[in-house]
Amino acid sequence: MTSVIIFSKDRPLQLCAYIESLIHYSGIAAHKINVLFCKSETIPYQVLEHQFPDIHWIPESDFYQDLLEIIARCDDHILWGCDDVCFKSKFKFEVCETALNCNEQILAFSLRLGKNIAPLPLLTDQQDYLTWDWTTCDLKETPWTYPWEVSASVYRKNDIQQLLQISDQLKHPNYLEGLLAHHFFGAPQGKQWRRQLACFPTSKTITIQVNRVQDVCPNEFDNSARTDVEKLYQDFMAGYRLDWKSFSNCLNQSTHVESEYFKLHKPGTGGIKPSTESYETCLESSHSALKQGRIQEGIRWCQDAVMVQPINQKAYAHLGNIYEHLGRQDCAERCRKKSAISFVDFLGSESVRSVVHVGAHHGQEIYQYQSLSPNLIVWVEADPKCFEILEKTVAESEVEGTRNVCVNALVTDSDDEVCSFFVFSNDGASSSIYHSTNTLRDTFSDVHETGETLQLKTARLDTILKGVGLPLGGLDVLVVDVQGAEMLCLVGAGDYLDSVKFLEVEVSQEALYEHGALFKEVDNWLINCGFIRVSDVPWHGNCIYQNPSRCQSQLLLSSTAH
């Protein structure tokens, strides 16, 4: 059997989501749960204590002694928990217990790791779960090499009791994690004790980083929305709760996520948390505050805008620009990352056998693609210098079961022609067969042509794919990022386009490249080929298309596409 020990301080709203989602997805009885919480005069826990009377609520007096007493009455296995964690899919504690009982080399069963968490180590499939050797894993400073963590892993009770004898100076959950990790598992004897870790094929939890309640470890968190503990306590007492069902079965690529997962609703009302102002009002107010030099007020309006629902790709991009002018580069970068969409966001339950990425640059998406477990990924890059980096990225990130092929070629609608290729300043990310326009230069002031021009031989995409052994009918996902040459690439795909389930193509509504294809031309051509657009249309950025005749489900079609 498994008991749960949760650490909490000043976060009843987040703790409530942890408890509700844990019970929902695991079926664990409430009396198996222990909450060791740090009391606060301004943020009490009485509401939760009343809501969950069968849970053991222990106000912290002496952290180390309190912890020893809790562990003494726990079952043979213990799940550590932290109040900023939520569960997202069903699992059975019995699988964790069996793994720990049957293999003495397994130290812990992680609920936060799985094949969706990039990058991946060398994993061994044990049918119901995966194992790996954390002592030889070369993915340093990643969760795959953390044998001891207190957010979402199951350990043997006896092992925990043995480890706690190492030091009686464990005055805080972060000390519990950090000191033992450093003093024991960082030493030779720790690495020889139990060398393996285990996890489910996909992760069962996410950690939502929207606030911080301790000063021991200055962990980063997403403060692009108003999610400080005082504000969230007010929301909690007003009846709002974290909508943890909204990210059910999500395939997060990182153990830690940010504010896009943090959406509040009021149970029983059928609605999300309303805003006192509209999104447009929040933006107008932030602009006004910015013009008048009221920086903090402008930031606060931006934070309100993030909490207005639904917030989409365009909204995040707009907020990123405002945050940059307000001097908040951290928030600006977070918003820009959230504004980028990928075909992965629309896959649902669709399987992916192959991905072909034309305009692969340095292969930055490799971990995202590999998390889908395709049989084949083909990377095509024209610039020889970028191609060298691409090959290195792929070679260092290979995983078992996926074949990666890198091809150095300039893709157009014809073979064996010589074409000029203009190199751009941003590590070649914007390099193109077309010159830039004034719009590109005015919009992206740090991007420009270097003056270097390469003479490259062209190749059709269908010629390339035949050459790497991909049969007709075998292409599931095509990603096109070729800086204005999208139509040339699509035409050059020939009959391979017929089998594509999802197509991700970068489009522009205004000309950024002289003679480059614009959105309307690409959109009309793809619709005539049987594709349906399932994403919004950015001014400049990725657009996602689906071929419903090739997909098992058509539920993926977005009602927001227009």
Side-chain angles (χ1 to χ4, degrees), residues 129-407:
Y129 58 93
L130 310 169
T131 59
W132 68 99
D133 188 330
W134 68 269
T135 67
T136 60
C137 179
D138 58 359
L139 300 176
K140 306 302 181 186
E141 302 302 320
T142 70
W144 298 99
T145 58
Y146 288 3
W148 178 253
E149 63 90 20
V150 298
S151 67
S153 290
V154 180
Y155 293 85
R156 299 175 185 86
K157 173 180 176 177
N158 290 339
D159 287 351
I160 292 176
Q161 290 175 320
Q162 182 177 340
L163 289 168
L164 292 185
Q165 294 176 12
I166 294 174
S167 173
D168 61 358
Q169 299 302 308
L170 306 175
K171 302 177 180 179
H172 188 280
N174 292 88
Y175 286 130
L176 173 63
E177 182 172 274
L179 286 178
L180 292 183
H182 175 72
H183 290 296
F184 183 74
F185 292 103
Q189 69 269 26
K191 293 182 178 179
Q192 295 300 320
W193 185 33
R194 302 192 194 276
R195 300 171 60 94
Q196 293 185 10
L197 298 174
C199 69
F200 287 105
T202 57
S203 67
K204 303 302 175 184
T205 68
I206 57 174
T207 302
I208 309 180
Q209 294 180 293
V210 293
N211 48 39
R212 187 175 65 227
V213 293
Q214 50 78 30
D215 298 319
V216 176
C217 296
N219 300 323
E220 291 187 1
F221 64 95
D222 182 1
N223 58 353
S224 58
R226 293 183 66 183
T227 50
D228 55 273
V229 293
E230 291 80 9
K231 177 66 165 58
L232 291 184
Y233 179 68
Q234 294 174 8
D235 290 334
F236 180 69
M237 296 305 294
Y240 293 104
R241 299 294 183 265
L242 176 59
D243 187 8
W244 47 267
K245 289 185 178 180
S246 66
F247 46 78
S248 175
N249 295 310
C250 68
L251 289 176
N252 49 299
Q253 289 187 273
S254 173
T255 58
H256 293 63
V257 298
E258 297 183 340
S259 62
E260 66 267 30
Y261 288 83
F262 199 87
K263 302 304 179 186
L264 303 183
H265 73 138
K266 182 173 283 190
T269 65
I272 57 177
K273 184 179 188 298
S275 173
T276 55
E277 305 289 350
S278 67
Y279 174 76
E280 290 75 15
T281 300
C282 292
L283 289 187
E284 291 174 4
S285 299
S286 65
H287 277 300
S288 176
L290 174 63
K291 289 178 181 178
Q292 298 178 40
R294 302 195 305 273
I295 302 301
Q296 291 305 314
E297 182 182 339
I299 291 173
R300 191 161 57 251
W301 278 114
C302 281
Q303 291 173 328
D304 283 346
V306 172
M307 297 302 287
V308 174
Q309 300 194 25
I311 183 166
N312 55 26
Q313 176 202 15
K314 180 181 178 181
Y316 273 124
H318 199 164
L319 282 171
N321 292 332
I322 297 175
Y323 268 127
E324 184 170 9
H325 284 98
L326 289 168
R328 291 297 299 273
Q329 296 298 330
D330 54 341
C331 293
E333 184 62 25
R334 286 192 177 98
C335 287
R336 290 198 180 103
K337 286 180 179 179
K338 294 168 188 174
S339 71
I341 61 172
S342 163
F343 71 88
V344 176
D345 301 324
F346 297 84
L347 279 178
S349 61
E350 292 291 334
S351 61
V352 174
R353 299 169 298 169
S354 60
V355 179
V356 173
H357 188 137
V358 184
H361 196 229
H362 297 164
Q364 294 94 325
E365 299 85 357
I366 187 165
Y367 298 129
Q368 184 182 43
Y369 295 172
Q370 286 178 341
S371 71
L372 305 174
S373 300
N375 300 322
L376 174 69
I377 306 174
V378 180
W379 307 88
V380 186
E381 171 55 40
D383 189 324
K385 292 181 180 178
C386 291
F387 183 75
E388 290 181 8
I389 299 174
L390 170 65
E391 283 192 306
K392 183 178 179 182
T393 299
V394 171
E396 293 176 347
S397 309
E398 294 276 9
V399 296
E400 187 177 354
T402 298
R403 174 186 170 221
N404 285 274
V405 179
C406 298
V407 180

